Amino acid sequence: MAKIKPSKGSPYARILGVGGYRPVRVVPNEVILETIDSSDEWIRSRSGIETRHWANDEETVAAMSVEASGKAIADAGITAQQIGAVVVSTVSHFKQTPAVATEIADKLGTNKAAAFDISAGCAGFGYGLTLAKGMVVEGSAEYVLVIGVERLSDLTDLEDRATAFLFGDGAGAVVVGPSKEPAIGPTVWGSEGDKSETIKQTVPWTEYDSSGKFPAITQEGQAVFRWAVFEMAKVAKEALDAAGISADELDVFIPHQANERIIDSMVKTLKLPETVMVARDVRTTGNTSAASIPLAMERLLATGEAKSGDTALVIGFGAGLVYAATVVTLP
């Protein structure tokens, strides 16, 4: 019986570079208040959001991804031709096929890199990061580009008082490559499909014509808040334990930028010390789903609030309900 030759991958993987793209248009709360009965004070107190970015016609899912990816590739110190796989997490690319990842891989100038999309909502970046780590360690790709990108303004019901102010657009990308030491910890991930109705698209695409209203994202705010605060804090703690890291040893906390109240509650539940830098990109970027973690990571490094080599806990959670948490070393 023939034996399969073992793969020749790297013993470990790490994030080597990060890049982000935020659309040119900045939308303050005042614009949102044109279509809902609320106030700037209410929006800020409920979510922490002051502004968000909305894409124009030219800032497509692919275009934003290419911009963010180019920065991540340059930051990693490699070329696009060295990218062996492109993984894109998005729920706002409206073509069922082909995957937008193939278009991005081509526009970046990769050498026929493997390319595919995944749909895991706000946990999508964590899912993609886990897949990328596996590819690098297994040896099927030396460098993997992971992109989280959304145009959630296309899926926002501007008359829905519960969600109209939440969502923004943007793209974040990281390059994952070989490492001589552990730099991406074990992933704690999963799903709770029995709660899938708490965050969902209002109607399927097949019912769009008959409904007469474009599908949008809706959610049961209080149910999502309770789940995120109590259940996701447990998942975050599991990820710390799996990586052998205590809260006191953590440098940075980068949770999904869904809502600042959720972030504050998680910090309190996890009993993170004041020395831990907490990402609060939600204030000026809003909830960008799969893009929120890499965008927040990029901003922390760009502003110097976090530095290369810092140990960071990242956790994403959202529609499905799905979640993914891991500890990483920042590029």
Side-chain angles (χ1 to χ4, degrees):
M1 183 180 293
K3 293 185 178 180
I4 297 174
K5 185 178 180 180
S7 301
K8 292 184 178 180
S10 170
Y12 307 107
R14 69 178 298 127
I15 299 174
L16 299 172
V18 60
Y21 180 83
R22 293 170 175 80
V24 174
R25 184 186 178 192
V26 177
V27 179
N29 288 337
E30 285 72 18
V31 172
I32 306 299
L33 296 175
E34 294 174 3
T35 52
I36 61 171
D37 180 16
S38 187
S39 68
D40 177 63
E41 181 183 1
W42 187 89
I43 293 174
R44 290 179 188 235
S45 65
R46 299 288 292 183
S47 68
I49 298 172
E50 302 167 8
T51 61
R52 72 286 291 146
H53 295 255
W54 283 355
N56 60 34
D57 291 343
E58 287 73 39
E59 292 168 320
T60 63
V61 165
M64 292 190 293
S65 296
V66 169
E67 290 291 331
S69 298
K71 295 175 184 177
I73 291 168
D75 193 42
I78 65 169
T79 65
Q81 289 76 21
Q82 291 174 275
I83 297 293
V86 178
V87 182
V88 177
S89 177
T90 185
V91 298
S92 47
H93 174 61
F94 296 147
K95 286 185 180 179
Q96 192 71 37
T97 191
V100 72
T102 59
E103 179 184 349
I104 295 165
D106 177 64
K107 287 184 174 179
L108 286 171
T110 67
N111 185 23
K112 299 181 180 179
F116 58 95
D117 299 350
I118 59 175
S119 178
C122 305
F125 175 75
Y127 276 47
L129 186 64
T130 302
L131 294 173
K133 173 186 174 183
M135 284 186 260
V136 171
V137 172
E138 187 270 339
S140 58
E142 185 176 11
Y143 299 101
V144 180
L145 180 65
V146 180
I147 304 165
V149 56
E150 301 292 1
R151 273 181 56 120
L152 294 181
S153 58
D154 292 334
L155 287 168
T156 299
D157 181 351
L158 293 178
E159 296 179 353
D160 180 359
R161 189 172 184 270
T163 62
F165 59 90
L166 287 176
F167 302 119
D169 304 336
V174 300
V175 172
V176 177
S179 175
K180 294 181 180 179
E181 57 185 27
I184 301 176
T187 300
V188 177
W189 57 352
S191 65
E192 297 185 33
D194 60 315
K195 300 180 181 66
S196 61
E197 290 295 302
T198 56
I199 306 175
K200 64 180 182 179
Q201 185 172 304
T202 49
V203 295
W205 295 110
T206 51
E207 296 179 15
Y208 168 42
D209 289 339
S210 60
S211 72
K213 192 170 185 179
F214 196 78
I217 298 173
T218 185
Q219 68 176 30
E220 298 174 13
Q222 288 302 313
V224 172
F225 182 88
R226 289 192 297 271
W227 176 77
V229 169
F230 298 108
E231 298 303 320
M232 291 306 97
K234 296 176 186 176
V235 171
K237 181 61 168 60
E238 288 179 37
L240 287 172
D241 292 342
I245 300 292
S246 69
D248 291 339
E249 296 174 301
L250 201 62
D251 298 308
V252 184
F253 180 42
I254 310 177
H256 164 48
Q257 301 294 292
N259 181 307
E260 192 166 34
R261 290 174 61 214
I262 291 176
I263 294 171
D264 289 340
S265 295
M266 290 184 71
V267 169
K268 184 177 180 180
T269 302
L270 287 168
K271 298 179 180 179
L272 297 182
E274 292 183 1
T275 54
V276 175
M277 172 55 61
V278 180
R280 300 183 185 278
D281 195 45
V282 67
R283 293 173 178 171
T284 56
T285 307
N287 180 343
T288 55
S289 189
S292 77
I293 290 175
L295 278 174
M297 182 185 295
E298 183 262 350
R299 174 160 282 172
L300 287 175
L301 289 166
T303 59
E305 294 172 282
K307 62 184 185 298
S308 174
D310 278 353
T311 300
L313 168 64
V314 299
I315 179 170
F317 44 86
L321 293 169
V322 293
Y323 54 88
T326 188
V327 175
V328 302
T329 300
L330 295 182

